[in-house]
Amino acid sequence: MRDRGLLVGGLALFVAVITFPVWYNVAAGTPTRGPEPVRPAGTGRCVGPTEYMRASHMSLLMAWRDDVVRGQDRNFVGPDGKTYAKSLTRTCLGCHTSKAEFCDRCHDYGAVKLTCWECHIDPASLRKAQR
Amino acid sequence: MSMDRRAFLGAAGLSALAMTGTQSLEALAGAGRPETTPEGRRAPRWGMVIDLRKCLEDRGCTDCIAACERAHNVPRLESRAHEVKWIWREPYERAFAQRGSGYGDEALRGKRVPVLCNHCDNPPCVRVCPVKATWKRGDGIVMMDWHRCIGCRYCMAACPYGARSFNWLDPRPRVKEVNPDFPTRTRGVVEKCNFCEERLAQGRGPACVEACRERALTFGDLRDPGSEVRGLLRSRHAMRRKPELGTEPSVYYLA
């Protein structure tokens, strides 16, 4: 083990280089930022509890999609007992009016590429485009 | 119980026959196709009757086509290679291609007729779809799931009426006036008339029927003898497109 110094030194250098972005940001004082989606202002409730929606909204939307298109089942009774239309454009975007500030913030942050909007229409950006 | 080789083979053959026999019988009877709605009411069988005498197409009326395009974000593409059609006009000779009627159909020759998906009882497009992106609903509508379509275009090859179109180009920029309540399609999927199933769910009739000022299009339940469509069919002689193919269209034309 005559080259122990070389090995340990090399490893230390490797770790230093790999973690450089972290140290750099700590030194520069860059604040850590989450995606910060803008939630609707009113006191209205979502179709499900916040924790569930945060974790599983995609599963809910996929189930809605299959229910409406393949099962002709268009109404959703939420845990609060209220009935909602299973509609991305009407129900979801009805409260979360800004797709750019709600959906896109998190999906851009997490680099999640969606295909929803290739067909479905965001009424807000449509209005903006028409203006 | 002892069994010799001959008896065993005979019993095995008979059981195999019985098994396949019941399966094919079930398939023939169309098992699993709901004839009633979830609420237990008898499911309707949607159909359309088009009165060619009332249709003003020869005077340049395209109200039904325009209404459909508005309702479903159908792109307007002039190129025949890229066009997308839900309801469109076709010369009588091409729509019906009936030979052997002599001078019998002279009144209709040269006239253009509105044509759309026939929502067949026996739809060839449904049989060939490898991913079940198109299927027949209990109420007779040949429905499409654009989420699932892989764009193989087998259904287009199978449809004898040319009622299906492929999106070769991105349709969104080519839609004149986007209706936010209905999705546009994306490049690479097939689309066709859906008998306005999204409007039927709200208790409204199809957009083309509503738009026709001559009331040349009538929509209703073919299974109900008291319906308006059945009344019309009782009153006049009607034709269906390419009846010889056995697809059993649910769109009828009053000559």
Side-chain angles (χ1 to χ4, degrees):
Chain A
M1 290 292 270
R2 265 172 295 145
D3 46 4
R4 173 182 288 176
L6 207 60
L7 278 175
V8 173
L11 272 174
L13 187 68
F14 174 74
V15 171
V17 167
I18 277 293
T19 54
F20 173 72
V22 178
W23 303 122
Y24 180 83
N25 278 328
V26 168
T30 317
T32 322
R33 279 183 37 199
E36 293 168 11
V38 177
R39 293 168 67 184
T43 49
R45 304 285 306 210
C46 198
V47 297
T50 310
E51 287 312 307
Y52 171 78
M53 293 308 291
R54 193 171 289 160
S56 309
H57 60 280
M58 63 299 260
S59 316
L60 183 79
L61 285 171
M62 291 294 164
W64 278 17
R65 176 193 76 182
D66 290 344
D67 287 350
V68 171
V69 179
R70 305 189 78 90
Q72 293 169 254
D73 174 9
R74 289 162 196 269
N75 291 320
F76 173 75
V77 181
D80 54 358
K82 268 207 273 183
T83 304
Y84 302 91
K86 289 176 182 171
S87 165
L88 173 68
T89 320
R90 289 287 135 188
T91 305
C92 302
L93 293 185
C95 292
H96 301 282
T97 45
S98 177
K99 162 184 160 308
E101 289 180 343
F102 185 72
C103 312
D104 294 351
R105 286 265 172 100
C106 282
H107 293 137
D108 288 348
Y109 184 83
V112 179
K113 191 173 173 287
L114 298 185
T115 50
C116 310
W117 311 105
E118 287 175 14
C119 297
H120 291 275
I121 294 155
D122 167 28
S125 50
L126 180 70
R127 277 195 298 275
K128 208 177 282 173
Q130 279 167 351
R131 227 179 285 136
Chain B
M1 192 183 97
S2 72
M3 202 180 217
D4 64 0
R5 185 190 174 89
R6 174 182 288 248
F8 171 75
L9 284 176
L14 276 175
S15 336
L17 198 68
M19 268 170 65
T20 52
T22 49
Q23 271 171 15
S24 47
L25 272 180
E26 270 169 22
L28 282 174
R33 192 179 289 167
E35 294 287 314
T36 52
T37 58
E39 298 88 56
R41 275 184 284 118
R42 197 179 50 88
R45 175 56 178 101
W46 297 123
M48 191 182 280
V49 175
I50 300 177
D51 189 339
L52 294 178
R53 270 188 225 158
K54 281 187 183 168
C55 178
L56 295 180
E57 196 288 318
D58 52 344
R59 271 178 258 163
C61 174
T62 53
D63 286 357
C64 53
I65 300 169
C68 177
E69 286 180 351
R70 268 198 307 277
H72 300 117
N73 297 325
V74 180
R76 181 67 71 85
L77 296 151
E78 296 305 336
S79 151
R80 284 259 295 150
H82 301 135
E83 68 183 351
V84 173
K85 303 172 301 193
W86 283 42
I87 177 168
W88 72 103
R89 296 170 294 176
E90 199 75 74
Y92 165 78
E93 291 83 351
R94 265 227 296 280
F96 285 89
Q98 276 165 342
R99 292 195 190 86
S101 46
Y103 299 110
D105 57 358
E106 214 167 33
L108 290 165
R109 281 192 215 149
K111 198 175 158 70
R112 291 211 289 180
V113 298
V115 289
L116 65 157
C117 170
N118 279 298
H119 296 275
C120 306
D121 266 346
N122 184 17
C125 53
V126 168
R127 283 215 328 231
V128 298
C129 180
V131 293
K132 292 206 173 179
T134 188
W135 71 98
K136 192 168 176 57
R137 285 182 7 178
D139 58 6
I141 294 181
V142 175
M143 183 67 184
M144 267 206 79
D145 186 348
W146 294 307
H147 302 103
R148 206 179 277 200
C149 177
I150 57 170
C152 71
R153 289 168 283 141
Y154 282 14
C155 55
M156 291 176 66
C159 176
Y161 306 103
R164 289 173 167 267
S165 310
F166 185 69
N167 282 285
W168 292 97
L169 306 171
D170 181 15
R172 178 86 56 104
R174 295 165 173 93
V175 177
K176 262 197 301 190
E177 195 184 318
V178 177
N179 166 16
D181 283 330
F182 201 80
T184 60
R185 270 66 62 194
T186 186
R187 200 162 61 92
V189 299
V190 170
E191 63 182 83
K192 68 165 198 80
C193 160
N194 66 350
F195 251 4
C196 281
E197 65 92 25
E198 81 285 355
R199 290 166 62 98
L200 295 177
Q202 302 167 349
R204 299 156 76 194
C208 54
V209 174
E210 205 172 81
C212 182
R213 53 192 132 127
E214 293 298 310
R215 291 179 48 78
L217 311 179
T218 312
F219 183 83
D221 182 2
L222 289 172
R223 221 176 255 153
D224 172 14
S227 67
E228 201 184 346
V229 279
R230 286 286 297 279
L232 282 170
L233 293 174
R234 265 196 302 277
S235 70
R236 301 243 308 266
H237 172 69
M239 309 180 285
R240 291 195 285 183
R241 293 179 66 197
K242 302 187 183 176
E244 68 278 11
L245 298 177
T247 56
E248 302 289 333
S250 64
V251 177
Y252 291 79
Y253 292 85
L254 299 178

